[in-house]
Amino acid sequence: MDALATYALRLGDDSLILGQRLGEWCGHAPALEVDLSLTNVALDQVGQATHFLGLAGAIENAGRDADALAFRRDVMDFTNCLLVEQPNGDFAQTIARQFLFSHYQALLFEQMARVKDERFAAIAAKALKEVSYHATLASDWVVRLGDGTEESKARMVAGLDWMWRFADELFVMDDVDAAAIAAGAGVDKSALRAEWDARIDAVLADATLARPASRRPVLGGRAGHHSEHLGHLLSDMQFLQRAYPDATW
Amino acid sequence: MSDPSKEWPLWEVFIRGKGGLSHRHAGSVHAADAKMALEHARDTYTRRMEGVSLWVLPSAQIVSSDPGDAAALFEPAEDKVYRHPTFYKIPDGITHI
Amino acid sequence: MYTTDLSGKDKNAAVAGVAEDPALIAAFEARVAADEFIEPKDWMPEAYRKTLVRQMSQHAHSEIVGMLPEGNWITRAPNLRRKAILLAKVQDEAGHGLYLYSAAETLGTSRDEMTEALLSGKAKYSTIFNYPTLTWADIGAIGWLVDGAAIMNQVPLQRTSYGPYARAMVRICKEESFHQRQGYEIMMHLAAGTDAQKRMAQDALNRWWWPSLMMFGPPDDKSPNTEQSMRWRIKRDTNDELRQKFVDITVPQAEAIGLTVPDAALKWNEERGAYDFGEVDWEEFYAVVKGEGPVAKERMQARQKAWDEGAWVREAARVHAEKRAAAKLAAE
C-alpha cells in the first residue's frame, strides 16, 4: 500500500475501531436517551470508516473494498491509534476516550476539509459536522461528571487517567503524513496540538478537573503495534467473514 | 423504590420541520438540564432529518386549558362564521379579492 | 408528551370502592365509540387508565428488552453496511421504547416506576425476546418475522383511542417500515448463499416461526381482556385475526426465497381463502410468559446491570444540574 492509501487507511481504521467500541454500548447505556446519543456517534464513525476505507481501497487499486479492509486484516495491519481501541470501561472511561478523540478529529477535519485532494476534503467536510457535535456532547458529559458527585468525579479522573497516555500519538507525524501533505491530502497534525490543548483545558477547567500529569506516551498503533485489546475486538468483529470466507452477506 | 425527585425531569420537544414552518410538538425526553434536553431531543427526534430547529421546555412549565372548560372556551367561536372569507358572497367576475 | 402531573394521578380516578359516575362513563364510552381521541387531561374510567398504562409500558419494555437479542450481533455484523443498519435498527427500538414510556407517563406513571416494575418482574414484555439469537440468520429472522408480526399488531394501534399512544404509534410505524425489509433482505441473501448460509437461514426460520405466532397473544377464547379492549379502541383486531393474517402474508414470502415453514399442518384452504395451520404450543407460551423463556434470566440480568451501572451517571447529571442552577441563581 502506498503512503496515500495508508493515510486513508489510518483515518478509516480510527473511525472503524471507535465505531465498533461504541456499538458495544447499544442497549446498555445509563439512560435511554444516552443510548440513542452513543449510537448516533457510533453510526457516524461507521459511516466515516466506510468512506475512508473505501478511499484507501480505491487508491490501492488492488481489488480490496472497505469490507475487505475492515474484515480481512489482522492486528499487525491495522493502523488505528491506540486511543480508539481502548475498552469502554465505565461510562466515564468511554466519555474520556470520546472527549480526547473527538476534539482531535474536529481539528483534523477542519483542516482536511480544505486540502487540495477533493476526495479527502469531501469526506472531511461531511465528517466535520458530525465530529463537532461529538466533541460538544463528550465535553458536556466531562463537565457533568467532573462537576457532579464525588463518585462521578473520581470515575472521570480515572477515565482520563486511563486514556491520557494515548493522547500524544494522535499528533505524531511520520513519513506517511509527510507524503500525504506533499500530495495535497494530508494535515500537519503536530500543528493541531496547541489548539487541542486549549480546548481540552477549557473543558477540564469547567469540569473542575485538573489536567492529567504528562507521562511517557504509548505509541505504535500507526505501525500495527497495538494493545492486547485490539485482537479481541477483531476476533469478535471479523468472526463471520473468517468463519465463512467464501460467503457474501 | 423510585424517588420522583431523583428522576431527570421531563421536557417537551418541538421541531421546526423546515424554514418558514412553526415548531411542532414531537414528543418528550428526560434530561437533567436544558443543554442535555436539547442534545437528547436532537439525538432522539431528528435522526431522520426531521428538523432544522429545536425547542425544548420543561413539561412542568406547560399550562393547559381544562377539558371541562372546552365548551365555554371553544364553542362560542362556532357561530362566528363571519371570521372566515368564504362567508362573503362576491359576484362572479370580480377578481383579486 | 404534555404535562405529566405525577402528584395528581388520582385526581380523576374513582376513590377506591366508590363507583364512578355512570353519566361520565356513558359520555366516555360514547366518545370512544365515535372514534374520538381521549387526551391526558380528559376524564377516563380508572380501568381504562390502568389497562393503558399496562399495555403501553409492556409495549415499551418489549422495545427495550428487544434491543438485547439483536444487540448481541452488532459487534459481529458481517460487513459495514449490515453493521450500520443493525445499529440504526436497535437504536430505533430505544427510540420507540422512549416514545412509549413518554406516552404512558402522560397518565401519571413515571419512567423510573415502570423500569422498576420491569426489573422486579412485575411488568411483562413480549415473550419473543426470551429466545436467543444464535447465528447471523437470527437477525434476519427477527426483522422479517418478529418485526413483521409487531407491525401487524401496531398498524391498527395508530388509531387507538388514547391520543398520546396513537401519536407514538404513528411515529413508530413510520420508522419501522425499514425494519422488516432489512430482515427479509438478510434472509433472502442467506437463502441464495452457500450451503452453510442456507442451513443457517432455515434453522433460524425453524426456531423463530412458532414464537412469532405466539406474539399475537393467546387464542381469542382465552383472551379475557380482548372484548373490553376492543370496545375501548385500545385494541382493534383480535389475536386470532391478526395471527391468521400474519400466516397468510408470511408463508408466500418464505416460499419465494426457498425456505420451508416448519409446520406439517400448514395447508392452503381454498374455501376460506386462507392458510390452515397447526396449533401453537400454548404450554410453552404460558411458561415463557411466566419468565421461563430460555434466556429470560440473561435478558433481565442485562437490563438490571445497565440500570445499576448507570445509576451514578444519572445521579451525577442531576446533581450537576442542581449545582449549576444554584450557582446561576446566586450570581443573579
Side-chain angles (χ1 to χ4, degrees):
Chain A
M1 225 183 218
D2 73 6
L4 199 58
T6 302
Y7 193 71
L9 188 72
R10 290 175 175 185
L11 294 162
D13 284 348
D14 280 357
S15 294
L16 175 66
I17 301 305
L18 184 57
Q20 176 73 7
R21 278 288 184 230
L22 290 167
E24 294 170 15
W25 270 106
C26 192
H28 307 279
L32 213 37
E33 285 85 351
V34 179
D35 218 301
L36 282 135
S37 294
L38 289 174
T39 306
N40 275 339
V41 180
L43 278 166
D44 288 341
Q45 295 294 337
V46 172
Q48 291 163 18
T50 306
H51 287 120
F52 278 124
L53 293 179
L55 179 56
I59 296 171
E60 183 194 40
N61 197 22
R64 291 199 286 183
D65 61 9
D67 283 327
L69 290 170
F71 294 92
R72 301 288 176 98
R73 282 179 300 151
D74 198 358
V75 170
M76 286 183 301
D77 293 322
F78 267 82
T79 60
N80 58 281
C81 59
L82 298 172
L83 178 64
V84 293
E85 70 195 46
Q86 293 310 304
N88 287 341
D90 64 7
F91 185 68
Q93 186 168 315
T94 292
I95 289 298
R97 185 183 62 204
Q98 198 66 46
F99 172 59
L100 303 182
F101 187 71
S102 292
H103 280 287
Y104 155 75
Q105 263 196 321
L107 288 164
L108 179 73
F109 291 152
E110 273 169 36
Q111 299 304 317
M112 196 177 290
R114 299 186 207 132
V115 299
K116 205 169 93 251
D117 189 318
E118 285 170 11
R119 298 167 299 179
F120 285 86
I123 301 172
K126 180 181 180 294
L128 176 59
K129 297 173 202 153
E130 299 166 350
V131 301
S132 304
Y133 180 72
H134 304 170
T136 304
L137 192 77
S139 298
D140 289 346
W141 271 111
V142 169
V143 173
R144 283 184 202 113
L145 300 180
D147 189 21
T149 60
E150 285 301 312
E151 179 179 7
S152 71
K153 176 171 236 149
R155 287 176 182 267
M156 196 64 243
V157 167
L160 286 165
D161 182 62
W162 183 278
M163 299 296 170
W164 199 252
R165 60 198 148 134
F166 307 111
D168 289 314
E169 189 186 28
L170 299 173
F171 305 97
V172 171
M173 296 287 288
D174 63 11
D175 293 349
V176 169
D177 294 288
I181 290 172
V187 170
D188 179 1
K189 293 185 290 184
S190 60
L192 307 176
R193 182 67 196 249
E195 178 59 20
W196 184 85
D197 280 330
R199 292 187 187 185
I200 295 296
D201 286 346
V203 175
L204 291 177
D206 192 16
T208 68
L209 293 171
R211 181 188 175 87
S214 321
R215 61 205 66 185
R216 188 164 182 274
V218 185
L219 307 170
R222 303 298 182 203
H225 298 153
H226 291 276
S227 66
E228 289 174 348
H229 306 294
L230 186 64
H232 294 286
L233 180 149
L234 294 183
S235 67
D236 200 31
M237 182 174 84
Q238 299 177 333
F239 153 67
L240 279 171
Q241 294 244 5
R242 289 181 180 280
Y244 302 95
D246 53 344
T248 63
W249 306 89
Chain B
M1 268 308 283
S2 69
D3 176 352
S5 67
K6 295 276 172 80
E7 192 166 353
W8 291 348
L10 199 60
W11 301 70
E12 298 309 312
V13 178
F14 298 81
I15 303 177
R16 185 197 298 286
K18 55 181 180 187
L21 298 181
S22 53
H23 286 75
R24 202 175 152 190
H25 187 241
S28 7
V29 291
H30 282 276
D33 55 50
K35 185 128 199 267
M36 192 199 268
L38 269 178
E39 287 165 357
H40 287 175
R42 183 262 189 196
D43 282 331
T44 301
Y45 290 101
T46 67
R47 288 173 291 131
R48 287 173 168 83
M49 298 178 294
E50 286 94 336
V52 296
S53 160
L54 280 171
W55 285 351
V56 292
L57 69 145
S59 307
Q61 295 290 317
I62 291 185
V63 180
S64 63
S65 62
D66 187 328
D69 296 338
L73 288 174
F74 308 116
E75 284 174 24
E78 271 177 18
D79 65 352
K80 307 211 172 32
V81 286
Y82 41 78
R83 285 197 173 112
H84 299 273
T86 48
F87 176 71
Y88 303 92
K89 290 198 174 51
I90 303 293
D92 292 347
I94 307 289
T95 55
H96 305 298
I97 186 162
Chain C
M1 283 179 190
Y2 305 117
T3 51
T4 300
D5 184 1
L6 295 174
S7 58
K9 65 162 73 169
D10 296 317
K11 201 163 52 187
N12 293 324
V15 182
V18 176
E20 291 170 329
D21 181 349
L24 283 174
I25 295 178
F28 171 85
E29 301 258 355
R31 287 185 66 194
V32 171
D35 276 331
E36 278 184 41
F37 286 106
I38 305 301
E39 294 297 338
K41 295 185 83 181
D42 293 345
W43 186 89
M44 62 189 79
E46 192 51 23
Y48 175 84
R49 177 189 299 270
K50 278 203 176 127
T51 306
L52 267 175
V53 170
R54 195 187 61 226
Q55 186 174 326
M56 286 190 285
S57 64
Q58 265 181 27
H59 196 161
H61 297 327
S62 301
E63 298 282 354
I64 302 311
V65 179
M67 296 171 75
L68 298 170
E70 289 173 285
N72 184 35
W73 278 88
I74 286 175
T75 61
R76 292 179 291 170
N79 59 39
L80 293 169
R81 176 172 174 267
R82 296 282 181 212
K83 189 184 289 294
I85 292 170
L86 188 57
L87 273 166
K89 179 177 189 288
V90 179
Q91 185 195 43
D92 272 350
E93 282 150 18
H96 298 168
L98 195 158
Y99 307 156
L100 289 160
Y101 282 129
S102 301
E105 281 174 281
T106 62
L107 292 175
T109 305
S110 76
R111 193 197 290 174
D112 279 3
E113 282 178 87
M114 291 185 266
T115 302
E116 279 171 4
L118 169 70
L119 296 177
S120 72
K122 224 172 80 191
K124 301 278 177 245
Y125 56 90
S126 185
T127 52
I128 194 88
F129 303 117
N130 287 335
Y131 292 88
T133 48
L134 304 180
T135 71
W136 173 249
D138 289 35
I139 301 307
I142 288 182
W144 173 35
L145 302 173
V146 176
D147 285 272
I151 288 165
M152 218 155 268
N153 270 326
Q154 289 173 354
V155 164
L157 288 175
Q158 295 178 92
R159 293 180 299 119
T160 191
S161 61
Y162 187 57
Y165 193 17
R167 290 190 287 277
M169 291 316 305
V170 168
R171 186 175 275 272
I172 289 171
C173 288
K174 204 165 97 191
E175 294 188 355
E176 280 206 342
S177 51
F178 91 84
H179 291 188
Q180 193 188 12
R181 280 170 166 260
Q182 65 85 34
Y184 191 64
E185 192 197 74
I186 289 173
M187 290 303 260
M188 213 164 65
H189 211 89
L190 295 176
T194 64
D195 287 347
Q197 286 176 305
K198 281 186 189 130
R199 181 171 156 235
M200 218 182 261
Q202 183 61 53
D203 182 63
L205 174 57
N206 293 350
R207 282 181 290 110
W208 289 94
W209 175 256
W210 292 106
S212 298
L213 294 191
M214 294 176 196
M215 283 178 71
F216 298 97
D220 291 348
D221 56 6
K222 296 210 174 60
S223 177
N225 298 325
T226 293
E227 197 201 322
Q228 186 174 55
S229 287
M230 296 212 18
R231 190 157 48 86
W232 278 345
R233 306 285 201 267
I234 294 173
K235 201 167 167 168
R236 309 220 47 149
D237 300 274
T238 74
N239 297 351
D240 286 335
E241 283 165 10
L242 289 170
R243 192 167 12 247
Q244 179 71 55
K245 201 169 147 194
F246 176 78
V247 171
D248 291 345
I249 286 176
T250 311
V251 170
Q253 292 170 352
E255 285 168 354
I257 54 175
L259 296 178
T260 309
V261 172
D263 179 358
L266 187 78
K267 198 165 160 268
W268 178 251
N269 183 326
E270 198 63 56
E271 208 174 299
R272 289 202 304 126
Y275 281 96
D276 293 333
F277 56 96
E279 184 71 11
V280 173
D281 181 352
W282 292 113
E283 200 197 326
E284 176 179 325
F285 171 76
Y286 288 112
V288 178
V289 168
K290 270 197 336 211
E292 293 174 22
V295 295
K297 286 207 186 304
E298 283 87 341
R299 299 292 182 247
M300 275 308 98
Q301 185 183 50
R303 286 316 309 157
Q304 185 73 54
K305 187 164 179 276
W307 182 246
D308 292 345
E309 292 181 357
W312 69 268
V313 178
R314 298 189 298 274
E315 174 70 0
R318 189 185 64 77
V319 169
H320 172 77
E322 277 176 11
K323 275 190 195 173
R324 293 289 159 118
K328 200 177 158 209
L329 208 64
E332 274 167 10

